[in-house]
Amino acid sequence: MWKLREIVTMVILSVVCGGIYRIWDVISSLITIAWVPGQGVINGLWWLAAGLIPYIVRRPGAALISELVAAFIELGLGGNWGLGGLLSGLIQGIGAEIAFMIFGWRKYHGSVLMLSGALAGIAFSVQWYVQYGGHKYTASIVVLYTVITMVSGAVLGGLLPKWIGDALKRTGVLRNFEIAKKSA
């Protein structure tokens, strides 16, 4: 059962992540990477909520819900992707949630967070292929894009949230959360 403080924290952090996503929308549109697979390098930051919030609250559904809320906030702030951004939040949240589900929502160490980010990357790569024109490229380009997006997800959507969560834990503000009670 979710506690009120977990829900409030999830919403607050999801709103912050949605704001970060909106800023990243602007910055990423300024980054021109001519090599299509190279564009996957920047994707993982959009899964920050899906790694950070479950790492802190450690509840089933946290990755999916937080990614959806963040996508909704990004859209509300004028996100570049329109309703496709909400679909991305759903798809990426499901991808990320699968990693936590595999471990019964009991393991939250770095490798599980990296797996979560990588699975969100696979999920997004499917959306990119179907919705954003990935099907127009050769199989080798699609595979490279997916692999690079997975690595980006593992680092920016997995290790970065762990680093942020650990930094917040050290401040003491998370002492009443599962992250402070369990080491992994």
Side-chain angles (χ1 to χ4, degrees):
M1 175 74 77
W2 284 70
K3 296 174 183 158
L4 180 60
R5 72 173 169 261
E6 294 168 338
I7 294 168
V8 170
T9 300
M10 179 189 64
V11 170
I12 290 169
L13 289 175
S14 294
V15 167
V16 169
C17 288
I20 291 169
Y21 295 172
R22 181 59 187 118
I23 293 167
W24 195 234
D25 290 345
V26 173
I27 293 170
S28 69
S29 68
L30 300 174
I31 299 171
T32 303
I33 301 172
W35 186 54
V36 173
Q39 295 170 1
V41 169
I42 63 173
N43 289 340
L45 189 69
W46 277 292
W47 310 312
L48 183 63
L52 179 61
I53 287 110
Y55 184 53
I56 292 171
V57 301
R58 302 185 181 201
R59 297 285 183 190
L64 175 59
I65 296 166
S66 61
E67 196 62 26
L68 275 171
V69 171
F72 182 77
I73 296 302
E74 177 186 14
L75 175 64
L77 293 173
N80 298 0
W81 314 108
L83 293 177
L86 286 178
L87 181 60
S88 292
L90 175 66
I91 291 169
Q92 296 158 9
I94 289 170
E97 192 72 42
I98 288 171
F100 301 114
M101 183 181 70
I102 289 170
F103 294 95
W105 292 281
R106 288 184 172 85
K107 304 279 185 191
Y108 292 88
H109 45 77
S111 58
V112 174
L113 288 164
M114 289 176 70
L115 177 62
S116 174
L119 292 177
I122 291 172
F124 175 72
S125 293
V126 170
Q127 183 184 15
W128 169 78
Y129 183 84
V130 172
Q131 184 177 356
Y132 296 121
H135 64 281
K136 297 175 185 173
Y137 299 101
T138 64
S140 61
I141 294 293
V142 171
V143 168
L144 277 171
Y145 180 88
T146 302
V147 168
I148 292 170
T149 296
M150 289 173 62
V151 171
S152 176
V155 174
L156 298 175
L159 290 180
L160 180 60
K162 183 179 184 329
W163 178 79
I164 293 169
D166 289 345
L168 288 170
K169 182 173 106 175
R170 283 191 300 276
T171 69
V173 299
L174 300 176
R175 66 183 167 276
N176 292 323
F177 291 87
E178 290 301 310
I179 187 174
K181 298 174 184 172
K182 298 178 182 172
S183 60

